Amino acid sequence: IFTILSVTAVQAGSGNNYGQYGQYGGGAPSYTISIDKTVATGGTTKGGVTTYVDNYSNSDPRFKPTQKVYFQVKVKNTSNATLTNVEVTDVMPSYVEAVEGPGTYDQNTKTISWKYDQLKAGEEKIEKLTAQIYTQNNLPADKGIMCLTNKATVKVGSAYDEDTAQFCVEKEVVGVKQVPTAGPELGL
């Protein structure tokens, strides 16, 4: 019995079963995609191109209430096949509102959504998004500095990727009175 099974296995492997792409196809295509979410630094390169970073830290410059924050989303087809119906979402963090960008914006979920009908193998799309930080009165009273995370996702079939960009907001200090100086004008 062992010999018969062995011969059967050899025959099945050497038959005309070439798969989906024929004898010289090289296997099935891979379906992979990537997304890169970044936030603008406010600076530019020598050529005037806006610079973006993945994340701001506590020690980096901070955004102020009502200031606009600029984001960039890069979606790249990293597979060897054309992808169709590519779905992209970008979820705004607390304390900011989307102002401008592609697709549609759902205020209830704070989500921007858009689609690419097709991305060819190796093709990359870049989108710009703008958000505005809430006014001072609409920021938490118990926090002076808040680091917020913006999340973007991309999905096509079973391929999925996500990325985040962090930035920090510092509330304006209000209500601080100047401390009087002591000196001869105050008298003894």
Side-chain angles (χ1 to χ4, degrees), residues 118-138:
Q118 181 181 80
L119 279 178
K120 295 179 180 170
E123 184 178 3
E124 179 178 76
K125 297 274 189 176
I126 299 173
E127 303 292 345
K128 309 280 188 200
L129 292 83
T130 305
Q132 187 164 17
I133 300 168
Y134 287 0
T135 63
Q136 176 90 4
N137 296 340
N138 290 322

Side-chain angles (χ1 to χ4, degrees), residues 63-133:
F63 291 88
K64 303 288 182 207
T66 70
Q67 188 174 355
K68 288 186 178 175
V69 184
Y70 301 95
F71 298 100
Q72 179 172 269
V73 177
K74 291 182 184 179
V75 176
K76 185 171 185 175
N77 179 351
T78 54
S79 71
N80 60 5
T82 297
L83 301 176
T84 57
N85 297 318
V86 178
E87 299 174 6
V88 186
T89 61
D90 190 286
V91 180
M92 289 286 133
S94 300
Y95 316 120
V96 300
E97 196 69 41
V99 174
E100 189 176 343
T104 59
Y105 179 59
D106 182 337
Q107 283 186 304
N108 295 325
T109 61
K110 298 180 72 79
T111 303
I112 301 170
S113 302
W114 69 94
K115 252 185 175 179
Y116 298 119
D117 292 335
Q118 181 181 80
L119 279 178
K120 295 179 180 170
E123 184 178 3
E124 179 178 76
K125 297 274 189 176
I126 299 173
E127 303 292 345
K128 309 280 188 200
L129 292 83
T130 305
Q132 187 164 17
I133 300 168

Side-chain angles (χ1 to χ4, degrees), residues 18-30 80:
Y18 299 120
Q20 180 176 341
Y21 295 98
Q23 183 177 0
Y24 305 106
S30 72
N80 60 5

